[in-house]
Amino acid sequence: EAALSPDRRLAGRHILVTAGPTHEPIDPVRYIANRSSGKQGFAIAAACAEMGARVTLVSGPVTLPTPAGVDRINVETALQMADAVASALPADAAIMVAAVADWHVEAAGQKLKKGAGAPALSLVPNPDILADLGASPNRPRLLVGFAAETERVLDHAAAKRIAKRADWIVANDVSGDVMGGEENSVHLLTETGVESWPHAPKAVVARRLAQRIADAL
Ligand code: CTP
Ligand code: CA
């Protein structure tokens, strides 16, 4: 039996992926964060590299190994992620999978002591990295966002596609046990409509998305 020749259609392309959470310090020992294992974003970076792309993976704090052939930039906060994304441009495509904290804290320089009473946290909005990229002169030709939703998944995702000037949104139904798990249920929203993909391992979702990216580029 002849082996299938590998799909290398992303050779010569630079693909930027964000993944994982961001951690926003409250003081030197505490932080706020979104829930994210980084698994789906790392799987997408791996799938794009397997198809020959040069991949820059900007990762928040996660415990995952770097996929083969991927250039990884580690960051902690949303502001650091925004800087790392800007410095990685230009890219042919950007896939923003990170669960970016929507706010950062005006952090204390010293550890807050519980005996001093519950602190009032002053929250400051973080930049929207995807929306800023959508409006940037350096916008990648293909810009893909994710939307983690617990209700009205398609409505919220469609609104985000328009508001952030993304070409596609991968809508992630996180009402089940997707967070941190090995499988994912997603819908792909494009300019032409919605495709609901079968519930599948995150690596399978990633390869399917990488193939669609190759089709589009
Ligand atoms: N995103 C980003 N920078 C942010 C917040 C979100 O780049 N500061 C990106 C995410 O990586 C994702 C998309 O925007 O690709 C949607 O993130 P999500 O948290 O679902 O949407 P928000 O616009 O932050 O809205 P909300 O959290 O209120 O649902
Ligand atoms: Ca958010």
Side-chain angles (χ1 to χ4, degrees):
E1 245 180 90
L4 288 171
S5 63
D7 185 348
R8 303 279 295 175
R9 284 182 294 150
L10 291 176
R13 305 296 189 189
H14 179 214
I15 297 188
L16 173 60
V17 180
T18 68
T22 65
H23 285 182
E24 310 295 334
I26 295 170
D27 69 14
V29 301
R30 305 180 178 97
Y31 61 83
I32 59 170
N34 281 37
R35 218 182 268 288
S36 171
S37 67
K39 285 176 186 170
Q40 186 64 79
F42 274 55
I44 290 166
C48 292
E50 278 165 14
M51 289 181 68
R54 177 164 80 83
V55 178
T56 303
L57 172 61
V58 178
S59 178
V62 297
T63 53
L64 300 171
T66 306
V70 167
D71 294 324
R72 175 173 176 177
I73 303 172
N74 288 321
V75 298
E76 182 183 1
T77 68
L79 287 165
Q80 291 167 0
M81 185 171 277
D83 283 347
V85 164
S87 69
L89 297 173
D92 297 291
I95 328 299
M96 316 301 273
V97 197
V100 182
D102 291 313
W103 305 276
H104 65 267
V105 183
E106 285 179 356
Q110 303 297 330
K111 184 183 178 187
L112 297 170
K113 301 307 289 180
K114 67 181 178 187
L121 299 183
S122 181
L123 297 179
V124 181
N126 276 329
D128 187 319
I129 303 166
L130 171 58
D132 288 350
L133 203 49
S136 157
N138 291 323
R139 185 192 191 281
R141 191 145 51 84
L142 182 68
L143 184 57
V144 183
F146 266 64
E149 307 290 353
T150 58
E151 53 162 7
R152 295 177 54 208
V153 175
L154 296 180
D155 288 347
H156 285 307
K160 285 175 185 175
R161 196 181 79 81
I162 302 299
K164 295 167 188 273
R165 301 196 215 183
D167 297 295
W168 302 345
I169 292 280
V170 180
N172 206 349
D173 187 337
V174 295
S175 58
D177 64 349
V178 160
M179 307 294 312
E182 300 298 333
E183 302 201 323
N184 213 348
S185 282
V186 306
H187 312 268
L188 179 67
L189 285 79
T190 70
E191 53 279 30
T192 57
V194 182
E195 287 171 31
S196 296
W197 290 2
H199 185 77
K202 288 179 177 177
V204 171
V205 171
R207 280 189 223 111
R208 189 171 187 144
L209 186 64
Q211 284 166 5
R212 292 299 294 267
I213 291 166
D215 295 343
L217 293 177

